[in-house]
Amino acid sequence: MSRSSAPQVLEQTVRETARPDAVAPAIAEAQAALASRRSAPRLLAGRRLPQPPGRRAPLWFAALVAGALLAAAPTVIGSPPDHTATASDYGLGGVSDISLSGGIDDAGVRRSITEAEAQARLGELAASRAARAPKTVLPTQGRLTTCYCQRWGQMHYGLDLAAPLGTPIYSAADGVVLKAGRVSGFGNAVYIQDAEGFVHIYGHMRYYDVEAGDVVHAGDQIAKVGNEGFSTGPHLHYEIHKGDINGRPTDPEAWLADRGVSV
C-alpha cells in the first residue's frame, strides 16, 4: 500500500462499516491531526524530535483514524441514555420511606387503632356471634328415663338422659368450669356456672374435655356419656343448682323450657 493511497483505502473501508454522518468528522479530525504534526516545530529543548519513518506514515495515520472511530462508536451504533437506577425504579422505597411499619409509607395502611376502638370491634364481634349461636341447648341427645321427682322413696334432683356410651355431652349454657373430675356417686362430674348464677352439674361420664377455669359456650362439647359411679346404665345425670354448687336445686326440665328447649 502506497503512502498516498492509505487514506483513501481506509476512508472507503470506514464508509462500508459506518454511517457517513458519524464517521466523516472522525476522518477529518484524524487528517487535521496529521497535518498539525507535520507542521509542528522539530526542536524541543535543543533536541530534534524523532519523526515517524516515512514507510510507517500510513500505519500511523490508520491508528489515528481507528482511535477517532472508537471515540465516535457510541454515536454510530447508538447507546441507551445515561440513567442511574434507583430503588424506586424497582418498586422499593428509598431510605426516607423506611419506617417501623416495615417500609410501607401508606398512611392508610399503616394507621393503627386505639384500644378503645379494638374493644368496641371485639364487642361487636361477640354480639354478632351471640346473635347467631344458641344461648341454651339440650345437654345431650338421649331418652328421658327419670324426671326431677320422687324415685325409690327419695327425691331425685335432676334428669337422667339415657344414651349410648360415648354420646357427646354439651354445655347447656355459656359459663365457666368450676370443677371437673372424680365425685362420689357420680364417678366423674363437671360443674359449670352460667352468667345468671346457676350451676349446671353433669354426672356419670367416663371422659370429659374441660378443666377448672375453662370458659365454655352453649353447645360446646364438654364430655361423653358414660356409666361411672352409681349407675344402672349409660346415661347423663343433669342437675341445676341456684347460686352455687350447694345451692337450691332447680328442675332442669322447667329451666330449659323457659329458654325454649324441650327435653
Side-chain angles (χ1 to χ4, degrees):
M1 179 186 298
S2 66
R3 183 179 305 180
S4 60
S5 64
Q8 290 82 352
V9 172
L10 182 59
E11 184 175 357
Q12 180 179 356
T13 302
V14 170
R15 278 200 305 268
E16 294 174 354
T17 59
R19 297 199 309 268
D21 59 344
V23 177
I27 296 176
E29 182 180 353
Q31 290 174 338
L34 178 61
S36 174
R37 182 170 180 83
R38 287 176 177 173
S39 61
R42 298 285 181 169
L43 297 177
L44 179 62
R47 299 177 60 186
R48 180 180 298 275
L49 293 176
Q51 190 173 10
R55 69 179 57 182
R56 295 181 181 176
L59 297 178
W60 180 77
F61 176 74
L64 285 177
V65 174
L69 288 175
L70 183 61
T75 305
V76 174
I77 63 176
S79 61
D82 186 18
H83 178 70
T84 302
T86 64
S88 61
D89 294 328
Y90 298 96
L92 303 176
V95 174
S96 61
D97 294 333
I98 298 176
S99 66
L100 294 179
S101 65
I104 300 176
D105 197 32
D106 185 342
V109 174
R110 193 174 57 223
R111 183 177 62 86
S112 61
I113 63 175
T114 64
E115 288 189 13
E117 289 174 321
Q119 289 298 330
R121 294 183 185 181
L122 288 173
E124 293 171 1
L125 180 62
S128 175
R129 181 188 184 282
R132 294 192 306 270
K135 296 180 175 61
T136 307
V137 301
L138 188 67
T140 194
Q141 294 297 324
R143 179 173 57 89
L144 178 63
T145 58
T146 306
C147 62
Y148 179 85
C149 56
Q150 291 285 334
R151 186 186 66 171
W152 303 335
Q154 60 183 359
M155 185 64 184
H156 182 259
Y157 293 105
L159 302 180
D160 284 349
L161 298 171
L165 287 171
T167 300
I169 298 173
Y170 308 104
S171 177
D174 295 352
V176 178
V177 178
L178 299 178
K179 181 180 178 180
R182 299 294 297 179
V183 176
S184 177
F186 285 136
N188 289 315
V190 174
Y191 296 75
I192 297 177
Q193 181 170 338
D194 67 19
E196 299 179 51
F198 292 96
V199 176
H200 302 251
I201 304 173
Y202 308 80
H204 298 304
M205 71 280 295
R206 183 175 184 181
Y207 304 105
Y208 52 92
D209 306 319
V210 294
E211 60 184 15
D214 285 352
V215 175
V216 295
H217 298 90
D220 288 351
Q221 181 174 325
I222 58 173
K224 294 180 180 179
V225 169
N227 190 29
E228 304 298 303
F230 301 144
S231 173
T232 58
H235 73 283
L236 167 66
H237 178 86
Y238 175 53
E239 289 187 21
I240 299 177
H241 290 205
K242 185 175 178 60
D244 57 35
I245 291 177
N246 299 313
R248 179 174 58 84
T250 298
D251 183 354
E253 189 172 3
W255 188 92
L256 291 169
D258 288 344
R259 292 157 180 78
V261 177
S262 60
V263 178

